[in-house]
Amino acid sequence: MNKVIIETSARHLHLSKEHLEVLFGAGYELTVKKELSQPGQYASTDKVEVVGEKGSLKMSILGPTRKETQVELSLTDARSIGVKAPVRESGDIAGTGSCKLVGPKGEVVLTEGVIAAKRHIHITPEDAAAFGVSDKQIVSVQVNCGNGRDMTFGDVVVRVSASYATRMHIDTDEANAASIAGEVEGVVIL
Ligand SMILES: [Zn+2]
């Protein structure tokens, strides 16, 4: 069986260098809190307030900085603060939701970049070959945690890169739907 470790991503954002400096001041560098499973990626101790039409949420910034700012939240979060968050792959932000970002030193009006991340599997070329999957392939993943909410996720996009560690990423709504707590494995179904 092709098993993959499933990790739950809490709401977070990625910032461009330009936006980081508007929000935190010129020359500001993020403070690393914890290395993430994907090589080179980390959670920082720094937070930004993401403001929608109905409310706001403080969100952690993941580093390093990226070419474009992107806010990733669950659909429950999106509804609670009043932002539009289409389901998209990371980086595919044209026409996505808008919000305001408030940092300690300044504010940014983000015209697009708010998404609910499409569930996905990061996978190394070696594991992709062993699983028989290719980049951009859509698969399903069966989750049986024994918590009374066994389910199969469809529409899971596979992303292959030598710079990845093999992991599936879902958001908190999806984890709750399957009663996932802590680290669990799923079975990839082609
Ligand atoms: Zn991911």
Side-chain angles (χ1 to χ4, degrees):
M1 281 201 291
N2 295 330
K3 287 190 171 177
V4 63
I5 295 170
I6 301 173
E7 293 177 334
T8 303
S9 300
R11 64 180 85 99
H12 65 272
L13 71 163
H14 305 272
L15 289 175
S16 67
K17 190 170 190 310
E18 182 200 337
H19 286 165
L20 177 69
E21 295 199 342
V22 171
L23 295 165
F24 289 88
Y28 191 81
E29 303 266 358
L30 294 169
T31 303
V32 179
K33 180 183 177 189
K34 186 173 134 230
E35 300 289 334
L36 300 176
S37 59
Q38 297 306 315
Q41 306 295 306
Y42 59 88
S44 78
T45 57
D46 301 285
K47 289 186 191 317
V48 160
E49 190 174 9
V50 176
V51 183
E53 286 178 5
K54 293 196 297 193
S56 68
L57 284 166
K58 281 244 180 195
M59 295 194 197
S60 295
I61 303 164
L62 300 193
T65 54
R66 288 191 176 184
K67 194 161 161 287
E68 293 183 291
T69 294
Q70 178 172 293
V71 175
E72 299 181 39
L73 36 59
S74 72
L75 296 177
T76 300
D77 292 335
R79 186 170 296 117
S80 78
I81 66 170
V83 293
K84 188 179 87 171
V87 176
R88 290 283 186 90
E89 277 191 62
S90 184
D92 177 21
I93 58 167
T96 57
S98 60
C99 68
K100 186 168 79 170
L101 304 177
V102 180
K105 294 282 171 65
E107 298 183 359
V108 169
V109 174
L110 199 63
T111 55
E112 61 184 13
V114 180
I115 64 168
K118 187 178 176 76
R119 46 189 175 239
H120 57 277
I121 298 172
H122 300 270
I123 192 166
T124 63
E126 295 74 29
D127 285 343
F131 283 32
V133 297
S134 54
D135 193 44
K136 297 192 167 50
Q137 187 172 343
I138 303 295
V139 298
S140 295
V141 175
Q142 193 174 24
V143 186
N144 305 314
C145 301
N147 293 334
R149 282 189 166 183
D150 288 356
M151 67 178 290
T152 300
F153 290 111
D155 292 324
V156 182
V157 63
V158 172
R159 287 154 53 185
V160 182
S161 170
S163 68
Y164 287 155
T166 299
R167 292 285 192 284
M168 177 175 177
H169 285 161
I170 57 175
D171 72 16
T172 48
D173 279 355
E174 295 168 319
N176 287 336
S179 189
I180 290 171
E183 195 175 276
V184 304
E185 284 184 325
V187 177
V188 178
I189 300 164
L190 306 186

PDB file of all heavy atoms in Angstrom, residues 131-150:
ATOM      1  N   PHE A 131       5.197   4.953  -6.085  1.00  0.00           N
ATOM      2  CA  PHE A 131       3.739   5.013  -5.966  1.00  0.00           C
ATOM      3  C   PHE A 131       3.052   4.911  -7.332  1.00  0.00           C
ATOM      4  O   PHE A 131       1.854   4.665  -7.410  1.00  0.00           O
ATOM      5  CB  PHE A 131       3.299   6.345  -5.329  1.00  0.00           C
ATOM      6  CG  PHE A 131       3.488   6.451  -3.834  1.00  0.00           C
ATOM      7  CD1 PHE A 131       4.530   5.813  -3.188  1.00  0.00           C
ATOM      8  CD2 PHE A 131       2.620   7.215  -3.064  1.00  0.00           C
ATOM      9  CE1 PHE A 131       4.709   5.932  -1.815  1.00  0.00           C
ATOM     10  CE2 PHE A 131       2.779   7.334  -1.686  1.00  0.00           C
ATOM     11  CZ  PHE A 131       3.825   6.701  -1.067  1.00  0.00           C
ATOM     12  N   GLY A 132       3.818   5.185  -8.401  1.00  0.00           N
ATOM     13  CA  GLY A 132       3.217   5.201  -9.738  1.00  0.00           C
ATOM     14  C   GLY A 132       2.402   6.449 -10.001  1.00  0.00           C
ATOM     15  O   GLY A 132       1.383   6.400 -10.700  1.00  0.00           O
ATOM     16  N   VAL A 133       2.853   7.589  -9.443  1.00  0.00           N
ATOM     17  CA  VAL A 133       2.146   8.858  -9.679  1.00  0.00           C
ATOM     18  C   VAL A 133       3.086   9.862 -10.341  1.00  0.00           C
ATOM     19  O   VAL A 133       4.307   9.723 -10.271  1.00  0.00           O
ATOM     20  CB  VAL A 133       1.594   9.470  -8.362  1.00  0.00           C
ATOM     21  CG1 VAL A 133       0.557   8.551  -7.746  1.00  0.00           C
ATOM     22  CG2 VAL A 133       2.715   9.780  -7.375  1.00  0.00           C
ATOM     23  N   SER A 134       2.496  10.872 -10.971  1.00  0.00           N
ATOM     24  CA  SER A 134       3.301  11.899 -11.627  1.00  0.00           C
ATOM     25  C   SER A 134       2.837  13.284 -11.200  1.00  0.00           C
ATOM     26  O   SER A 134       1.742  13.446 -10.624  1.00  0.00           O
ATOM     27  CB  SER A 134       3.210  11.756 -13.145  1.00  0.00           C
ATOM     28  OG  SER A 134       1.857  11.763 -13.532  1.00  0.00           O
ATOM     29  N   ASP A 135       3.651  14.272 -11.504  1.00  0.00           N
ATOM     30  CA  ASP A 135       3.364  15.656 -11.112  1.00  0.00           C
ATOM     31  C   ASP A 135       2.016  16.101 -11.674  1.00  0.00           C
ATOM     32  O   ASP A 135       1.706  15.846 -12.829  1.00  0.00           O
ATOM     33  CB  ASP A 135       4.484  16.571 -11.626  1.00  0.00           C
ATOM     34  CG  ASP A 135       4.441  17.958 -11.022  1.00  0.00           C
ATOM     35  OD1 ASP A 135       4.241  18.064  -9.800  1.00  0.00           O
ATOM     36  OD2 ASP A 135       4.604  18.930 -11.778  1.00  0.00           O
ATOM     37  N   LYS A 136       1.213  16.780 -10.859  1.00  0.00           N
ATOM     38  CA  LYS A 136      -0.102  17.334 -11.205  1.00  0.00           C
ATOM     39  C   LYS A 136      -1.214  16.283 -11.296  1.00  0.00           C
ATOM     40  O   LYS A 136      -2.364  16.618 -11.578  1.00  0.00           O
ATOM     41  CB  LYS A 136      -0.058  18.144 -12.503  1.00  0.00           C
ATOM     42  CG  LYS A 136       0.847  19.372 -12.400  1.00  0.00           C
ATOM     43  CD  LYS A 136       0.644  20.289 -13.593  1.00  0.00           C
ATOM     44  CE  LYS A 136       1.280  21.642 -13.375  1.00  0.00           C
ATOM     45  NZ  LYS A 136       2.683  21.587 -12.931  1.00  0.00           N
ATOM     46  N   GLN A 137      -0.876  15.011 -11.073  1.00  0.00           N
ATOM     47  CA  GLN A 137      -1.904  13.967 -11.092  1.00  0.00           C
ATOM     48  C   GLN A 137      -2.874  14.178  -9.924  1.00  0.00           C
ATOM     49  O   GLN A 137      -2.477  14.627  -8.845  1.00  0.00           O
ATOM     50  CB  GLN A 137      -1.241  12.585 -10.978  1.00  0.00           C
ATOM     51  CG  GLN A 137      -2.218  11.432 -11.157  1.00  0.00           C
ATOM     52  CD  GLN A 137      -1.503  10.074 -11.235  1.00  0.00           C
ATOM     53  OE1 GLN A 137      -0.293  10.015 -11.476  1.00  0.00           O
ATOM     54  NE2 GLN A 137      -2.251   9.013 -11.015  1.00  0.00           N
ATOM     55  N   ILE A 138      -4.142  13.882 -10.172  1.00  0.00           N
ATOM     56  CA  ILE A 138      -5.152  13.973  -9.115  1.00  0.00           C
ATOM     57  C   ILE A 138      -5.428  12.558  -8.595  1.00  0.00           C
ATOM     58  O   ILE A 138      -5.725  11.649  -9.381  1.00  0.00           O
ATOM     59  CB  ILE A 138      -6.465  14.591  -9.640  1.00  0.00           C
ATOM     60  CG1 ILE A 138      -6.209  15.973 -10.249  1.00  0.00           C
ATOM     61  CG2 ILE A 138      -7.510  14.667  -8.530  1.00  0.00           C
ATOM     62  CD1 ILE A 138      -5.733  17.036  -9.287  1.00  0.00           C
ATOM     63  N   VAL A 139      -5.298  12.381  -7.280  1.00  0.00           N
ATOM     64  CA  VAL A 139      -5.507  11.074  -6.670  1.00  0.00           C
ATOM     65  C   VAL A 139      -6.510  11.211  -5.515  1.00  0.00           C
ATOM     66  O   VAL A 139      -6.962  12.312  -5.198  1.00  0.00           O
ATOM     67  CB  VAL A 139      -4.170  10.489  -6.139  1.00  0.00           C
ATOM     68  CG1 VAL A 139      -3.176  10.286  -7.281  1.00  0.00           C
ATOM     69  CG2 VAL A 139      -3.574  11.378  -5.048  1.00  0.00           C
ATOM     70  N   SER A 140      -6.831  10.077  -4.909  1.00  0.00           N
ATOM     71  CA  SER A 140      -7.631  10.088  -3.684  1.00  0.00           C
ATOM     72  C   SER A 140      -6.772   9.546  -2.548  1.00  0.00           C
ATOM     73  O   SER A 140      -5.810   8.819  -2.786  1.00  0.00           O
ATOM     74  CB  SER A 140      -8.867   9.207  -3.845  1.00  0.00           C
ATOM     75  OG  SER A 140      -9.725   9.744  -4.828  1.00  0.00           O
ATOM     76  N   VAL A 141      -7.123   9.926  -1.339  1.00  0.00           N
ATOM     77  CA  VAL A 141      -6.399   9.427  -0.173  1.00  0.00           C
ATOM     78  C   VAL A 141      -7.409   8.976   0.876  1.00  0.00           C
ATOM     79  O   VAL A 141      -8.277   9.750   1.299  1.00  0.00           O
ATOM     80  CB  VAL A 141      -5.452  10.499   0.419  1.00  0.00           C
ATOM     81  CG1 VAL A 141      -4.804   9.996   1.707  1.00  0.00           C
ATOM     82  CG2 VAL A 141      -4.388  10.893  -0.599  1.00  0.00           C
ATOM     83  N   GLN A 142      -7.272   7.703   1.258  1.00  0.00           N
ATOM     84  CA  GLN A 142      -8.190   7.101   2.224  1.00  0.00           C
ATOM     85  C   GLN A 142      -7.610   7.251   3.627  1.00  0.00           C
ATOM     86  O   GLN A 142      -6.430   6.964   3.844  1.00  0.00           O
ATOM     87  CB  GLN A 142      -8.327   5.619   1.874  1.00  0.00           C
ATOM     88  CG  GLN A 142      -9.458   4.925   2.557  1.00  0.00           C
ATOM     89  CD  GLN A 142      -9.595   3.488   2.033  1.00  0.00           C
ATOM     90  OE1 GLN A 142      -8.642   2.917   1.533  1.00  0.00           O
ATOM     91  NE2 GLN A 142     -10.764   2.942   2.171  1.00  0.00           N
ATOM     92  N   VAL A 143      -8.441   7.712   4.558  1.00  0.00           N
ATOM     93  CA  VAL A 143      -7.989   7.940   5.930  1.00  0.00           C
ATOM     94  C   VAL A 143      -8.868   7.132   6.880  1.00  0.00           C
ATOM     95  O   VAL A 143     -10.087   7.297   6.893  1.00  0.00           O
ATOM     96  CB  VAL A 143      -8.091   9.436   6.311  1.00  0.00           C
ATOM     97  CG1 VAL A 143      -7.496   9.675   7.677  1.00  0.00           C
ATOM     98  CG2 VAL A 143      -7.400  10.293   5.270  1.00  0.00           C
ATOM     99  N   ASN A 144      -8.238   6.258   7.629  1.00  0.00           N
ATOM    100  CA  ASN A 144      -8.964   5.438   8.601  1.00  0.00           C
ATOM    101  C   ASN A 144      -8.295   5.584   9.957  1.00  0.00           C
ATOM    102  O   ASN A 144      -7.417   4.808  10.310  1.00  0.00           O
ATOM    103  CB  ASN A 144      -8.970   3.961   8.184  1.00  0.00           C
ATOM    104  CG  ASN A 144      -9.530   3.764   6.786  1.00  0.00           C
ATOM    105  OD1 ASN A 144     -10.560   4.334   6.440  1.00  0.00           O
ATOM    106  ND2 ASN A 144      -8.858   2.990   5.976  1.00  0.00           N
ATOM    107  N   CYS A 145      -8.671   6.611  10.689  1.00  0.00           N
ATOM    108  CA  CYS A 145      -8.045   6.872  11.988  1.00  0.00           C
ATOM    109  C   CYS A 145      -8.666   6.059  13.115  1.00  0.00           C
ATOM    110  O   CYS A 145      -8.162   6.051  14.222  1.00  0.00           O
ATOM    111  CB  CYS A 145      -8.180   8.331  12.385  1.00  0.00           C
ATOM    112  SG  CYS A 145      -7.454   9.466  11.248  1.00  0.00           S
ATOM    113  N   GLY A 146      -9.782   5.452  12.847  1.00  0.00           N
ATOM    114  CA  GLY A 146     -10.466   4.727  13.919  1.00  0.00           C
ATOM    115  C   GLY A 146     -11.193   5.648  14.876  1.00  0.00           C
ATOM    116  O   GLY A 146     -11.531   5.256  15.997  1.00  0.00           O
ATOM    117  N   ASN A 147     -11.437   6.891  14.457  1.00  0.00           N
ATOM    118  CA  ASN A 147     -12.137   7.848  15.327  1.00  0.00           C
ATOM    119  C   ASN A 147     -13.586   8.050  14.903  1.00  0.00           C
ATOM    120  O   ASN A 147     -14.206   9.049  15.246  1.00  0.00           O
ATOM    121  CB  ASN A 147     -11.409   9.200  15.312  1.00  0.00           C
ATOM    122  CG  ASN A 147     -10.040   9.117  15.952  1.00  0.00           C
ATOM    123  OD1 ASN A 147      -9.794   8.262  16.797  1.00  0.00           O
ATOM    124  ND2 ASN A 147      -9.132   9.978  15.539  1.00  0.00           N
ATOM    125  N   GLY A 148     -14.097   7.101  14.149  1.00  0.00           N
ATOM    126  CA  GLY A 148     -15.504   7.190  13.770  1.00  0.00           C
ATOM    127  C   GLY A 148     -15.785   8.097  12.596  1.00  0.00           C
ATOM    128  O   GLY A 148     -16.950   8.436  12.338  1.00  0.00           O
ATOM    129  N   ARG A 149     -14.736   8.543  11.921  1.00  0.00           N
ATOM    130  CA  ARG A 149     -14.948   9.410  10.761  1.00  0.00           C
ATOM    131  C   ARG A 149     -14.074   8.977   9.581  1.00  0.00           C
ATOM    132  O   ARG A 149     -13.462   9.820   8.905  1.00  0.00           O
ATOM    133  CB  ARG A 149     -14.653  10.869  11.105  1.00  0.00           C
ATOM    134  CG  ARG A 149     -15.759  11.548  11.886  1.00  0.00           C
ATOM    135  CD  ARG A 149     -15.500  13.039  12.003  1.00  0.00           C
ATOM    136  NE  ARG A 149     -16.684  13.748  12.457  1.00  0.00           N
ATOM    137  CZ  ARG A 149     -16.757  15.055  12.586  1.00  0.00           C
ATOM    138  NH1 ARG A 149     -15.697  15.807  12.328  1.00  0.00           N
ATOM    139  NH2 ARG A 149     -17.866  15.628  12.972  1.00  0.00           N
ATOM    140  N   ASP A 150     -14.001   7.672   9.350  1.00  0.00           N
ATOM    141  CA  ASP A 150     -13.245   7.190   8.194  1.00  0.00           C
ATOM    142  C   ASP A 150     -13.741   7.883   6.937  1.00  0.00           C
ATOM    143  O   ASP A 150     -14.951   8.045   6.745  1.00  0.00           O
ATOM    144  CB  ASP A 150     -13.446   5.677   8.017  1.00  0.00           C
ATOM    145  CG  ASP A 150     -12.723   4.876   9.078  1.00  0.00           C
ATOM    146  OD1 ASP A 150     -12.016   5.489   9.902  1.00  0.00           O
ATOM    147  OD2 ASP A 150     -12.865   3.643   9.070  1.00  0.00           O
TER     148      ASP A 150
END
